Every structure is written in structure tokens, then in C-alpha cells.
């Protein structure tokens, strides 16, 4: 949420943060409560532009705001958004991860698609995108406090793909893409099941 609070209201928000974290232990609820407080402070700023009434009783203000929030629908919406983020990450991991595995096979067979330097540059970029997406998945898992199994399945799929690449790099048949896809789809199913 965009924060257009002036200095006085921004300072007030910063004084409220410890109370927000004290009330809500869940990261999603913390974000919802903080967004609601920012929204209310913006309205108050536009209407009165005087923090004195709120600053006299910050703790009560945060507690009252918390009681008036209906978390159920907003938490459901956050879960749906995070499921979509997970799906996008999975797609990027499949595409970029396979580019890395394909380069590994090229490197072992010394048979490059374009040229070693160009192929390696593409593989390095794909590797960093894959790692970034895996970190994003890790964050989503921690955010919803579920097990690390979905991430473990993806990593296991990549380890298996690397082993298969080392064993079969001379073969014209390549099942590494299939292994990555199976691991990724399994990971997504585990994530959705645990989110439910």
C-alpha cells in the first residue's frame, strides 16, 4: 500500500508498529492491520491534519482498529494471490532451470548451441533467475508457516536432473525437462494442499 503520510503521521505510524507486532503474530495479519492503520491515518490526515487526538492513546487506537478488521476474507485473498505467485515462480523455475541443465549437457558434450560464451552467459542469467524464484518460494512457504516439502521436491528434482545429465550427456534422448516438470508440478500440489 502506498504511504503518503506526512512526517507527523509517519512518526505516529512508527510508534504504532511495536503494538501491531504485539497483537498479530501472523505475517499476513500484521500486513493487513498495518495497511488498515495507514488507510485510517491518511483519512485522518486529509480531514484534520492533527495527530494530537490519536497520539494521546496509540495503544488503544491499534487495539480498536484490530478488533474492527474482518481478517477472514482478506486472508483468503492473500492466500489466492500467493498461490498465483507460486505458480508464476514454478513456471520460471521450469524454463530457466532447464536452460541451466541444457547448458550443463552442452558443456559435458562440448557441443554448444551458439558459442560457449553466449551459451554460458544465458545459463548464468537463467541460474540467477532460478535461484531468485526458489528464494521467493521459500519466502512464501515461511510466510504461511508450512513445511519445506514443496521446496525440497523442486531441489530433489534438480539434483536428479543433474545426475541424469552426467550419466546420459552423450545420449540423444533427454528426460531432464520431464523430471523438472514432474518435480515442479508435485511441489505445486503439495503447496496447494498445505495451504488448504
Amino acid at each position: 500500500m502506498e504511504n503518503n503520510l506526512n512526517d507527523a503521521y509517519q512518526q505516529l505510524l512508527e510508534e504504532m508498529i511495536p503494538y501491531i507486532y504485539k497483537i498479530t503474530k501472523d505475517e499476513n495479519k500484521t500486513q493487513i492491520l498495518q495497511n488498515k492503520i495507514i488507510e485510517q491515518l491518511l483519512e485522518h490526515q486529509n480531514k484534520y491534519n492533527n495527530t494530537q487526538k490519536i497520539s494521546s492513546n496509540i495503544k488503544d487506537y491499534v487495539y480498536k482498529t484490530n478488533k474492527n478488521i474482518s481478517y477472514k476474507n482478506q486472508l483468503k485473498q492473500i492466500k489466492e494471490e500467493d498461490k498465483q505467485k507460486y505458480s508464476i515462480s514454478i513456471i520460471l523455475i521450469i524454463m530457466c532451470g532447464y536452460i541451466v541443465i541444457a547448458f550443463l549437457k552442452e558443456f559435458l558434450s562440448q557441443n554448444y548451441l551458439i558459442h560457449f560464451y553466449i551459451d554460458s552467459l544465458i545459463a548464468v542469467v537463467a541460474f540467477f533467475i532460478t535461484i531468485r524464484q526458489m528464494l521467493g518460494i521459500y519466502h512464501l512457504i515461511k510466510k504461511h508457516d508450512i513445511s519445506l516439502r514443496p521446496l525440497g521436491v523442486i531441489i530433489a528434482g534438480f539434483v536428479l536432473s543433474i545426475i541424469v545429465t552426467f550419466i546420459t550427456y552423450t545420449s540423444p534422448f533427454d528426460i531432464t525437462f520431464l523430471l523438472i516438470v514432474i518435480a515442479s508440478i508435485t511441489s505445486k500440489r503439495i503447496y496447494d494442499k498445505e495451504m488448504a
Side-chain angles (χ1 to χ4, degrees):
M1 184 177 201
E2 195 176 331
N3 185 350
N4 293 321
L5 298 172
N6 64 30
D7 290 344
Y9 279 88
Q10 185 62 44
Q11 186 179 346
L12 194 60
L13 175 65
E14 286 168 17
E15 289 172 24
M16 291 179 183
I17 298 291
Y19 297 112
I20 293 170
Y21 280 96
K22 196 173 181 182
I23 292 172
T24 57
K25 305 297 178 193
D26 178 80
E27 188 180 331
N28 294 321
K29 285 185 177 179
T30 301
Q31 194 59 53
I32 291 167
L33 178 56
Q34 190 169 328
N35 287 345
K36 183 66 178 174
I37 287 172
I38 290 170
E39 184 184 307
Q40 288 179 178
L41 290 176
L42 279 168
E43 285 176 19
H44 197 273
Q45 175 182 289
N46 293 336
K47 199 171 183 181
Y48 305 108
N49 200 18
N50 186 349
T51 61
Q52 198 170 6
K53 192 177 179 183
I54 300 171
S55 62
S56 62
N57 213 338
I58 291 173
K59 189 176 179 181
D60 282 349
Y61 184 85
V62 174
Y63 278 88
K64 280 179 186 175
T65 305
N66 180 54
K67 281 186 177 179
N68 293 331
I69 294 176
S70 174
Y71 285 104
K72 192 176 180 182
N73 290 337
Q74 292 183 59
L75 286 171
K76 190 177 178 182
Q77 185 181 347
I78 287 171
K79 279 187 175 183
E80 288 306 312
E81 287 171 4
D82 286 347
K83 280 183 181 180
Q84 288 175 358
K85 286 179 190 173
Y86 197 96
S87 296
I88 291 165
S89 289
I90 287 293
I91 291 165
L92 287 168
I93 285 170
I94 290 170
M95 293 186 319
C96 295
Y98 181 68
I99 290 169
V100 175
I101 299 292
F103 174 75
L104 180 62
K105 188 172 183 175
E106 289 175 1
F107 180 76
L108 292 170
S109 64
Q110 293 294 303
N111 186 17
Y112 300 104
L113 190 64
I114 302 170
H115 188 274
F116 171 75
Y117 296 113
I118 295 169
D119 287 10
S120 61
L121 180 66
I122 293 167
V124 166
V125 171
F127 177 76
F128 280 109
I129 292 170
T130 304
I131 295 298
R132 187 181 170 111
Q133 294 308 312
M134 284 190 180
L135 289 172
I137 283 176
Y138 176 78
H139 176 71
L140 289 173
I141 286 168
K142 284 295 175 189
K143 183 179 177 183
H144 294 284
D145 199 27
I146 60 176
S147 76
L148 290 171
R149 280 179 53 219
L151 186 59
V153 169
I154 294 172
I155 292 168
F158 274 102
V159 170
L160 189 60
S161 294
I162 291 166
I163 292 167
V164 169
T165 300
F166 273 103
I167 295 169
T168 65
Y169 72 89
T170 54
S171 170
F173 300 104
D174 187 9
I175 61 162
T176 55
F177 183 74
L178 183 63
L179 291 172
I180 293 169
V181 170
I182 290 169
S184 299
I185 290 171
T186 305
S187 168
K188 177 73 169 86
R189 285 186 178 162
I190 293 168
Y191 178 80
D192 287 347
K193 191 176 178 183
E194 293 201 15
M195 287 284 278

